Amino acid sequence: EVQLLESGGGLVQPGGSLRLSCAASGLTFNTYGMGWVRQAPGKGLEWVTSISGRGVHTYYADSVKGRFTISRDISKNTLFLQMNSLRAEDTAVYYCAKSPTIVTRYFDLWGQGTLVTV
Amino acid sequence: QSVLTQPPSVSGAPGQRVTISCTGSSSNIGAVYDVHWYQHLPGTAPKLLIYANTNRPSGVPDRFSGSKSGTSASLAITGLQAEDEADYYCQSYDSSLSGWVFGGGTKLTVL
C-alpha cells in the first residue's frame, strides 16, 4: 500500500527551528515530485514548498522563502522540511503530499499531517 | 486572501445537485494552468477529487465532475449524500507568484 507518514511536529518557541520528516512507502520515491502543504487553525490549505523527483529543483511560497528548506533522501524514501526562524503564523498542520509526476502539478496522495505549534 | 476565490459555504439536500465555483485570473486559471479539486474532512488527509479540470481518479464516484472556462472553474456534485459533507478546495498554478495556489475552501453542508 502506498503511504506517507509525517513526523517531527511539536511545540517550538518563536525564532526556533524544527525538522519535519515524511516517510514514503510503496512507491518509487525518486519518480515523483513531493511537497508540503499546511493548514493553519481555522484556515484553508496553503501550499508551502515543492521538490522535483530527484531533488534538483525546489520551489517555495513567499511566506517561507529563506526560512524553510525542503529536501529528500532517496535512499531512505524520506522527505524533509527544515523550518528555521519560526513565527506564530507558521502554526499549522503540515501535510506531506505526492505529485503523480516528477514535477508538481497537483497532489494525488497526502499524509495524515503533523501539527506544528509556534 | 487567496488568489483563487471560492464561496465560503454551499448547501443542499440529499439527492440534490450543488456546484462550487473557483474564480481566478489571467495568471492562473485563465492561463494554461489546470485546475484540480480536493475534498478534505477535518482531521484527515485531503483527497484528490478532480485533476486537470475534468478528470476523476479511480475510485472517485462519477457524481463528482469538474469544468473550466476562461478564468473560472467549477466542481459539481450530483445526488448529494451525507458523506459528501466536507471542505472542498480548488488548486492551480500562478505564474505571477511562481507557485501553486489553493482556493480559500468551501464548506459543503448536506441538509
Side-chain angles (χ1 to χ4, degrees):
Chain A
E1 181 190 2
V2 182
Q3 197 172 1
L4 302 174
L5 185 61
E6 304 96 335
S7 61
L11 177 64
V12 62
Q13 298 281 354
S17 298
L18 210 56
R19 189 195 200 201
L20 306 183
S21 300
C22 171
S25 57
L27 62 121
T28 307
F29 190 58
N30 64 346
T31 305
Y32 304 106
M34 300 288 295
W36 292 92
V37 176
R38 67 186 180 183
Q39 184 177 34
K43 303 292 185 181
L45 299 176
E46 178 190 14
W47 170 76
V48 175
T49 177
S50 289
I51 187 168
S52 59
R54 297 192 177 161
V56 174
H57 302 288
T58 58
Y59 313 86
Y60 298 93
D62 287 343
S63 57
V64 305
K65 202 171 292 183
R67 300 188 299 124
F68 289 13
T69 302
I70 189 172
S71 62
R72 63 196 302 167
D73 185 332
I74 293 172
S75 67
K76 295 181 180 178
N77 273 20
T78 303
L79 179 73
F80 301 102
L81 181 63
Q82 177 67 43
M83 303 186 294
N84 299 330
S85 303
L86 282 162
R87 306 166 179 167
E89 54 265 37
D90 295 319
T91 294
V93 174
Y94 284 74
Y95 295 98
C96 165
K98 166 194 163 291
S99 176
T101 53
I102 202 161
V103 178
T104 296
R105 290 177 58 209
Y106 56 92
F107 299 109
D108 63 347
L109 179 69
W110 299 63
Q112 292 291 326
T114 186
L115 176 63
V116 172
T117 304
V118 183
Chain B
Q1 287 280 36
S2 305
V3 297
L4 303 181
T5 301
Q6 297 180 234
S9 63
V10 297
S11 62
Q16 283 189 334
R17 178 182 187 269
V18 296
T19 62
I20 299 173
S21 61
C22 176
T23 303
S25 68
S26 58
S27 63
N28 42 68
I29 298 176
V32 299
Y33 306 112
D34 290 329
V35 178
H36 321 285
W37 292 89
Y38 303 88
Q39 180 189 60
H40 188 207
L41 289 145
T44 70
K47 173 187 174 183
L48 179 66
L49 215 54
I50 297 288
Y51 67 94
N53 307 315
T54 61
N55 300 280
R56 279 188 312 277
S58 60
V60 173
D62 59 6
R63 301 187 296 106
F64 295 89
S65 63
S67 64
K68 173 186 167 182
S69 178
T71 58
S72 295
S74 289
L75 172 71
I77 310 172
T78 59
L80 263 184
Q81 300 179 3
E83 67 205 48
D84 298 333
E85 192 161 284
D87 297 321
Y88 293 84
Y89 294 88
C90 60
Q91 177 244 312
S92 186
Y93 180 85
D94 190 282
S95 57
S96 296
L97 298 174
S98 297
W100 290 267
V101 290
F102 286 91
T106 298
K107 182 175 181 58
L108 169 62
T109 301
V110 181
L111 302 170

